[in-house]
Coordinates of all heavy atoms in Angstrom, one line a residue:
C1 N 16.8 -24.1 6.4 CA 15.6 -23.4 6.0 C 15.2 -22.3 6.9 O 15.2 -22.4 8.1 CB 14.5 -24.4 5.9 SG 12.9 -23.7 5.4
Q2 N 15.1 -21.1 6.4 CA 14.7 -19.9 7.2 C 13.2 -19.5 7.2 O 12.8 -18.8 8.0 CB 15.5 -18.7 6.6 CG 17.1 -18.9 6.8 CD 17.5 -19.0 8.2 OE1 17.0 -18.3 9.1 NE2 18.5 -19.8 8.5
A3 N 12.5 -20.0 6.2 CA 11.1 -19.6 6.0 C 10.1 -20.6 6.7 O 10.2 -21.8 6.4 CB 10.8 -19.6 4.5
P4 N 9.3 -20.1 7.6 CA 8.3 -20.9 8.3 C 7.1 -21.2 7.4 O 6.2 -20.5 7.4 CB 7.9 -20.2 9.5 CG 8.5 -18.8 9.4 CD 9.4 -18.8 8.2
I5 N 7.3 -22.2 6.6 CA 6.2 -22.6 5.7 C 5.9 -24.2 5.9 O 6.8 -24.9 6.3 CB 6.5 -22.3 4.2 CG1 7.7 -23.1 3.7 CG2 6.6 -20.9 4.0 CD1 8.0 -23.0 2.3
A6 N 4.7 -24.5 5.6 CA 4.3 -25.9 5.8 C 3.2 -26.3 4.9 O 2.4 -25.5 4.6 CB 4.0 -26.2 7.3
C7 N 3.1 -27.6 4.6 CA 2.0 -28.2 3.9 C 1.9 -29.6 4.4 O 2.8 -30.3 4.6 CB 2.3 -28.2 2.3 SG 0.9 -28.9 1.4
F8 N 0.6 -30.0 4.6 CA 0.3 -31.3 5.1 C -0.9 -31.8 4.3 O -1.9 -31.1 4.2 CB 0.0 -31.3 6.6 CG -0.3 -32.7 7.1 CD1 0.6 -33.6 7.3 CD2 -1.6 -32.9 7.5 CE1 0.3 -34.9 7.9 CE2 -2.0 -34.2 8.0 CZ -1.0 -35.1 8.2
A9 N -0.8 -33.0 3.8 CA -1.9 -33.6 3.0 C -2.3 -34.9 3.7 O -1.4 -35.7 4.0 CB -1.6 -33.8 1.6
Q10 N -3.6 -35.2 3.9 CA -4.0 -36.4 4.6 C -5.1 -37.1 3.7 O -6.1 -36.4 3.3 CB -4.5 -36.2 6.0 CG -4.9 -37.3 6.8 CD -5.2 -36.9 8.2 OE1 -5.6 -35.8 8.4 NE2 -5.1 -37.8 9.1
L11 N -4.9 -38.4 3.4 CA -5.9 -39.1 2.6 C -6.9 -39.7 3.5 O -6.5 -40.4 4.5 CB -5.1 -40.1 1.7 CG -5.9 -41.0 0.7 CD1 -6.6 -39.9 -0.3 CD2 -5.1 -42.0 0.1
Q12 N -8.2 -39.5 3.3 CA -9.3 -40.1 4.0 C -10.3 -40.7 3.0 O -11.0 -39.9 2.3 CB -9.9 -39.1 4.9 CG -9.0 -38.6 6.0 CD -9.6 -37.4 6.8 OE1 -10.6 -36.7 6.3 NE2 -9.1 -37.3 8.0
N13 N -10.3 -41.9 3.0 CA -11.2 -42.7 2.0 C -10.7 -42.2 0.6 O -9.6 -42.5 0.2 CB -12.6 -42.5 2.3 CG -13.1 -43.0 3.6 OD1 -12.6 -44.0 4.0 ND2 -13.9 -42.2 4.3
N14 N -11.6 -41.6 -0.2 CA -11.2 -41.2 -1.5 C -11.0 -39.7 -1.6 O -10.9 -39.2 -2.7 CB -12.4 -41.6 -2.5 CG -11.8 -42.0 -3.8 OD1 -10.7 -42.3 -4.0 ND2 -12.7 -42.0 -4.8
N15 N -10.9 -39.0 -0.5 CA -10.7 -37.6 -0.5 C -9.3 -37.2 0.1 O -8.8 -38.0 1.0 CB -11.7 -36.9 0.4 CG -13.0 -36.9 -0.3 OD1 -13.2 -36.7 -1.5 ND2 -14.1 -37.0 0.5
V16 N -8.7 -36.1 -0.3 CA -7.5 -35.7 0.3 C -7.8 -34.3 0.9 O -8.5 -33.5 0.5 CB -6.3 -35.5 -0.7 CG1 -6.7 -34.6 -1.8 CG2 -5.1 -35.2 -0.1
H17 N -7.2 -34.1 2.1 CA -7.4 -32.9 2.9 C -6.0 -32.2 2.9 O -5.0 -32.8 3.4 CB -7.9 -33.2 4.3 CG -8.1 -31.9 5.2 ND1 -9.1 -31.1 5.0 CD2 -7.4 -31.4 6.2 CE1 -9.1 -30.1 5.9 NE2 -8.0 -30.3 6.6
V18 N -5.9 -31.0 2.3 CA -4.6 -30.3 2.2 C -4.7 -29.1 3.0 O -5.6 -28.3 3.0 CB -4.4 -30.0 0.7 CG1 -3.0 -29.3 0.6 CG2 -4.4 -31.1 -0.2
R19 N -3.6 -28.9 3.9 CA -3.5 -27.8 4.8 C -2.2 -27.1 4.4 O -1.1 -27.8 4.3 CB -3.4 -28.1 6.2 CG -4.8 -28.7 6.7 CD -4.7 -29.1 8.2 NE -4.8 -30.5 8.2 CZ -4.8 -31.2 9.3 NH1 -4.6 -30.6 10.5 NH2 -4.9 -32.5 9.2
G20 N -2.1 -25.8 4.4 CA -0.9 -25.0 4.2 C -0.8 -23.9 5.2 O -1.8 -23.4 5.7
L21 N 0.4 -23.5 5.5 CA 0.7 -22.4 6.4 C 2.0 -21.6 6.0 O 2.9 -22.2 5.5 CB 1.0 -23.1 7.8 CG 1.4 -22.2 8.9 CD1 0.8 -22.7 10.2 CD2 2.9 -22.1 9.1
V22 N 1.9 -20.3 6.2 CA 3.0 -19.4 6.0 C 3.0 -18.5 7.2 O 2.0 -18.0 7.6 CB 2.9 -18.6 4.7 CG1 4.1 -17.7 4.6 CG2 3.0 -19.6 3.5
S23 N 4.2 -18.3 7.8 CA 4.3 -17.4 9.0 C 5.5 -16.5 8.9 O 6.5 -16.8 8.3 CB 4.4 -18.3 10.2 OG 4.7 -17.5 11.4
D24 N 5.4 -15.4 9.6 CA 6.6 -14.6 9.7 C 7.5 -15.3 10.7 O 7.1 -16.2 11.4 CB 6.3 -13.1 10.0 CG 5.7 -12.9 11.4 OD1 5.6 -13.9 12.2 OD2 5.2 -11.8 11.7
V25 N 8.8 -14.9 10.8 CA 9.7 -15.6 11.7 C 9.4 -15.5 13.2 O 9.7 -16.3 14.0 CB 11.2 -15.1 11.4 CG1 11.6 -15.5 10.1 CG2 11.4 -13.6 11.7
T26 N 8.6 -14.4 13.6 CA 8.3 -14.3 15.0 C 7.0 -15.0 15.4 O 6.7 -15.2 16.5 CB 8.1 -12.8 15.3 OG1 7.0 -12.3 14.6 CG2 9.3 -12.1 15.1
G27 N 6.2 -15.4 14.4 CA 5.0 -16.1 14.5 C 3.9 -15.1 14.9 O 2.7 -15.5 15.2
D28 N 4.1 -13.8 14.7 CA 3.1 -12.8 14.9 C 2.0 -12.9 13.9 O 0.8 -12.5 14.1 CB 3.7 -11.4 15.1 CG 4.5 -11.3 16.3 OD1 4.2 -11.9 17.4 OD2 5.4 -10.4 16.2
R29 N 2.4 -13.2 12.7 CA 1.5 -13.3 11.5 C 1.5 -14.6 10.9 O 2.6 -15.0 10.4 CB 1.9 -12.3 10.5 CG 0.9 -12.1 9.4 CD 1.1 -10.9 8.5 NE 0.1 -10.9 7.4 CZ 0.3 -10.4 6.2 NH1 1.5 -9.8 5.9 NH2 -0.6 -10.5 5.3
V30 N 0.4 -15.4 11.0 CA 0.3 -16.7 10.6 C -0.8 -16.8 9.7 O -2.0 -16.5 10.0 CB 0.2 -17.7 11.8 CG1 0.1 -19.1 11.2 CG2 1.3 -17.6 12.8
L31 N -0.6 -17.3 8.5 CA -1.6 -17.5 7.5 C -1.8 -19.0 7.2 O -0.9 -19.8 7.2 CB -1.2 -16.9 6.0 CG -0.6 -15.5 6.1 CD1 -0.2 -15.1 4.7 CD2 -1.7 -14.5 6.7
R32 N -3.2 -19.3 7.2 CA -3.5 -20.8 7.0 C -4.6 -20.9 5.9 O -5.4 -20.0 5.7 CB -4.1 -21.4 8.3 CG -3.1 -21.5 9.4 CD -3.8 -22.1 10.6 NE -2.9 -22.3 11.7 CZ -2.5 -21.5 12.6 NH1 -3.0 -20.3 12.6 NH2 -1.6 -21.8 13.6
A33 N -4.5 -22.0 5.2 CA -5.5 -22.4 4.2 C -5.7 -23.8 4.1 O -4.8 -24.6 4.4 CB -5.0 -21.8 2.8
T34 N -7.0 -24.2 3.9 CA -7.3 -25.7 3.7 C -8.2 -25.9 2.6 O -9.1 -25.1 2.3 CB -7.9 -26.3 5.0 OG1 -9.2 -25.6 5.3 CG2 -7.0 -26.0 6.3
M35 N -8.1 -27.1 2.0 CA -9.0 -27.5 0.9 C -9.2 -29.0 1.1 O -8.2 -29.7 1.5 CB -8.4 -27.3 -0.4 CG -8.3 -25.8 -0.8 SD -9.9 -25.0 -1.2 CE -10.5 -25.9 -2.5
T36 N -10.4 -29.5 0.7 CA -10.6 -30.9 0.8 C -11.4 -31.3 -0.6 O -12.2 -30.5 -1.0 CB -11.6 -31.4 1.9 OG1 -10.9 -31.0 3.1 CG2 -11.8 -32.9 1.9
G37 N -11.0 -32.4 -1.2 CA -11.5 -32.8 -2.4 C -11.1 -34.2 -2.8 O -10.3 -34.8 -2.1
P38 N -11.6 -34.7 -4.0 CA -11.2 -36.0 -4.4 C -9.8 -36.2 -4.6 O -9.1 -35.2 -5.1 CB -11.9 -36.2 -5.7 CG -12.6 -34.9 -6.1 CD -12.4 -34.0 -4.9
R39 N -9.2 -37.3 -4.3 CA -7.7 -37.5 -4.4 C -7.2 -37.3 -5.8 O -6.0 -37.1 -6.0 CB -7.3 -38.8 -3.7 CG -7.7 -40.0 -4.5 CD -7.2 -41.3 -3.7 NE -7.5 -42.5 -4.5 CZ -7.1 -43.6 -4.1 NH1 -6.5 -43.8 -3.0 NH2 -7.4 -44.7 -4.9
I40 N -8.0 -37.6 -6.8 CA -7.5 -37.4 -8.2 C -7.3 -36.0 -8.5 O -6.6 -35.6 -9.5 CB -8.5 -38.1 -9.2 CG1 -9.9 -37.4 -9.1 CG2 -8.6 -39.6 -9.0 CD1 -10.8 -37.8 -10.3
K41 N -7.8 -35.1 -7.6 CA -7.5 -33.6 -7.8 C -6.5 -33.1 -6.8 O -6.4 -31.9 -6.5 CB -8.8 -32.9 -7.6 CG -9.9 -33.3 -8.5 CD -9.8 -32.5 -9.8 CE -11.0 -32.8 -10.7 NZ -11.0 -32.0 -11.9
A42 N -5.7 -34.0 -6.2 CA -4.7 -33.6 -5.1 C -3.8 -32.5 -5.6 O -3.6 -31.5 -4.9 CB -3.9 -34.8 -4.7
E43 N -3.2 -32.5 -6.8 CA -2.3 -31.5 -7.3 C -3.1 -30.1 -7.4 O -2.5 -29.1 -6.9 CB -1.7 -31.9 -8.6 CG -0.7 -30.9 -9.1 CD -0.1 -31.3 -10.5 OE1 -0.3 -32.3 -11.0 OE2 0.7 -30.4 -11.0
H44 N -4.2 -30.2 -7.9 CA -5.0 -28.9 -8.1 C -5.3 -28.4 -6.7 O -5.3 -27.1 -6.5 CB -6.4 -29.3 -8.9 CG -7.2 -28.1 -9.0 ND1 -6.9 -27.1 -9.8 CD2 -8.4 -27.8 -8.5 CE1 -7.9 -26.2 -9.8 NE2 -8.8 -26.6 -9.0
L45 N -5.7 -29.2 -5.7 CA -6.0 -28.7 -4.4 C -4.8 -28.1 -3.7 O -4.9 -27.1 -3.1 CB -6.4 -29.9 -3.5 CG -7.8 -30.6 -3.8 CD1 -8.0 -31.8 -3.1 CD2 -8.9 -29.6 -3.6
G46 N -3.6 -28.7 -4.0 CA -2.4 -28.1 -3.5 C -2.1 -26.7 -4.1 O -1.7 -25.8 -3.4
I47 N -2.3 -26.5 -5.3 CA -2.2 -25.3 -6.0 C -3.2 -24.2 -5.5 O -2.8 -23.1 -5.2 CB -2.3 -25.4 -7.5 CG1 -1.1 -26.2 -8.1 CG2 -2.5 -24.1 -8.2 CD1 -1.3 -26.7 -9.5
Q48 N -4.4 -24.7 -5.3 CA -5.4 -23.8 -4.7 C -5.1 -23.2 -3.3 O -5.2 -22.1 -3.0 CB -6.8 -24.5 -4.6 CG -7.5 -24.6 -6.0 CD -8.9 -25.1 -5.8 OE1 -9.1 -26.2 -5.4 NE2 -9.9 -24.3 -6.2
V49 N -4.5 -24.2 -2.5 CA -4.1 -23.8 -1.1 C -3.0 -22.7 -1.2 O -3.0 -21.8 -0.5 CB -3.7 -25.0 -0.3 CG1 -2.9 -24.6 1.0 CG2 -4.9 -25.9 0.1
A50 N -2.0 -23.0 -2.1 CA -1.0 -22.1 -2.3 C -1.5 -20.7 -2.8 O -1.0 -19.7 -2.3 CB 0.1 -22.6 -3.3
E51 N -2.4 -20.7 -3.7 CA -3.0 -19.5 -4.2 C -3.7 -18.7 -3.1 O -3.7 -17.5 -3.0 CB -3.9 -19.7 -5.4 CG -3.1 -20.1 -6.6 CD -3.9 -20.5 -7.8 OE1 -5.1 -20.6 -7.7 OE2 -3.4 -20.6 -9.0
M52 N -4.4 -19.5 -2.2 CA -5.2 -18.9 -1.1 C -4.1 -18.2 -0.2 O -4.5 -17.0 0.3 CB -6.0 -19.9 -0.4 CG -7.1 -20.5 -1.1 SD -7.9 -22.0 -0.4 CE -8.6 -21.3 1.1
L53 N -3.1 -18.8 0.1 CA -2.1 -18.3 1.0 C -1.4 -17.0 0.3 O -1.2 -16.0 1.0 CB -1.0 -19.2 1.3 CG -1.4 -20.3 2.2 CD1 -0.3 -21.5 2.2 CD2 -1.6 -19.9 3.6
L54 N -1.2 -17.0 -1.0 CA -0.7 -15.8 -1.6 C -1.7 -14.7 -1.6 O -1.3 -13.5 -1.4 CB -0.3 -16.1 -3.1 CG 0.8 -17.0 -3.4 CD1 1.0 -17.5 -4.8 CD2 2.1 -16.3 -2.9
N55 N -3.0 -15.0 -1.7 CA -4.0 -13.9 -1.7 C -4.1 -13.4 -0.3 O -4.6 -12.2 -0.1 CB -5.4 -14.5 -2.1 CG -5.4 -14.8 -3.5 OD1 -4.7 -14.1 -4.3 ND2 -6.3 -15.7 -4.0
Q56 N -3.7 -14.1 0.8 CA -3.7 -13.6 2.1 C -2.5 -12.7 2.4 O -2.4 -12.1 3.5 CB -3.8 -14.7 3.1 CG -5.1 -15.5 3.1 CD -5.0 -16.6 4.0 OE1 -4.7 -16.5 5.2 NE2 -5.4 -17.9 3.6
G57 N -1.5 -12.8 1.6 CA -0.3 -12.0 1.8 C 1.0 -12.7 2.0 O 2.0 -12.2 2.5
A58 N 1.0 -14.0 1.7 CA 2.2 -14.9 1.9 C 3.4 -14.3 1.1 O 4.5 -14.4 1.6 CB 1.9 -16.3 1.4
E59 N 3.2 -13.8 0.0 CA 4.3 -13.2 -0.8 C 5.1 -12.2 0.0 O 6.3 -12.1 0.0 CB 3.9 -12.8 -2.2 CG 5.0 -12.4 -3.1 CD 4.6 -12.0 -4.5 OE1 3.4 -12.1 -4.8 OE2 5.4 -11.8 -5.3
D60 N 4.3 -11.3 0.6 CA 4.9 -10.2 1.4 C 5.7 -10.7 2.6 O 6.9 -10.3 2.9 CB 3.8 -9.3 1.9 CG 3.1 -8.5 0.8 OD1 3.7 -8.4 -0.3 OD2 2.0 -8.0 1.1
I61 N 5.2 -11.7 3.2 CA 5.9 -12.4 4.4 C 7.2 -13.0 3.9 O 8.2 -12.8 4.4 CB 5.0 -13.5 5.0 CG1 3.8 -12.7 5.8 CG2 5.8 -14.3 6.0 CD1 2.8 -13.7 6.4
L62 N 7.1 -13.8 2.8 CA 8.3 -14.4 2.3 C 9.3 -13.4 1.8 O 10.5 -13.7 1.9 CB 7.9 -15.5 1.3 CG 7.0 -16.6 1.7 CD1 6.6 -17.5 0.6 CD2 7.7 -17.4 2.8
A63 N 8.9 -12.3 1.2 CA 9.8 -11.3 0.7 C 10.6 -10.7 1.8 O 11.8 -10.4 1.8 CB 9.1 -10.3 -0.1
T64 N 9.8 -10.4 3.0 CA 10.4 -9.9 4.2 C 11.5 -10.8 4.7 O 12.6 -10.4 5.1 CB 9.3 -9.5 5.2 OG1 8.4 -8.6 4.6 CG2 9.9 -9.0 6.5
I65 N 11.1 -12.1 4.8 CA 12.1 -13.1 5.3 C 13.3 -13.1 4.5 O 14.5 -13.2 4.9 CB 11.4 -14.5 5.5 CG1 10.3 -14.5 6.6 CG2 12.5 -15.6 5.8 CD1 9.5 -15.7 6.6
D66 N 13.1 -13.1 3.2 CA 14.2 -13.2 2.1 C 15.2 -12.0 2.3 O 16.4 -12.2 2.3 CB 13.7 -13.3 0.8 CG 14.8 -13.6 -0.3 OD1 15.6 -14.4 0.0 OD2 14.7 -12.9 -1.3
S67 N 14.6 -10.9 2.7 CA 15.5 -9.7 2.8 C 16.3 -9.7 4.1 O 17.2 -9.0 4.3 CB 14.7 -8.4 2.7 OG 13.8 -8.3 3.8
Q68 N 15.8 -10.5 5.1 CA 16.4 -10.5 6.4 C 17.6 -11.6 6.4 O 18.4 -11.5 7.3 CB 15.4 -10.9 7.5 CG 14.4 -9.8 7.7 CD 13.3 -10.3 8.6 OE1 13.2 -11.5 9.0 NE2 12.5 -9.4 9.0
I69 N 17.6 -12.5 5.4 CA 18.7 -13.5 5.5 C 19.8 -13.2 4.5 O 19.8 -12.4 3.7 CB 18.2 -14.9 5.2 CG1 17.3 -15.0 4.0 CG2 17.3 -15.3 6.4 CD1 16.9 -16.4 3.6

């Protein structure tokens, strides 16, 4: 795997806390997003985190990495 991306979900009581990260290969540009909500909405929370990262510029970072490999 060449792309520095991560997702971590943690269940606490009836809520899920989802964290996502996208970085360039040097670590100079790191994007982070988090959401917390009811565990029955876990999939939706994950999608929201991904959309937040895309809105911050994750697609540009991933395209740059893709062109380098």
Side-chain angles (χ1 to χ4, degrees):
C1 178
Q2 300 292 325
I5 60 174
C7 182
F8 179 73
Q10 186 174 24
L11 187 61
Q12 296 175 334
N13 298 320
N14 214 20
N15 287 322
V16 62
H17 182 72
V18 181
R19 291 179 251 178
L21 176 142
V22 175
S23 172
D24 63 11
V25 293
T26 63
D28 291 332
R29 186 167 178 211
V30 180
L31 310 176
R32 292 182 173 89
T34 63
M35 292 288 300
T36 301
R39 71 180 185 177
I40 61 170
K41 301 276 188 176
E43 182 178 357
H44 179 70
L45 293 169
I47 291 168
Q48 284 186 297
V49 167
E51 288 175 349
M52 291 167 67
L53 290 167
L54 289 170
N55 288 336
Q56 293 178 50
E59 187 172 1
D60 295 335
I61 290 174
L62 297 173
T64 301
I65 292 170
D66 189 42
S67 70
Q68 293 173 350
I69 53 174

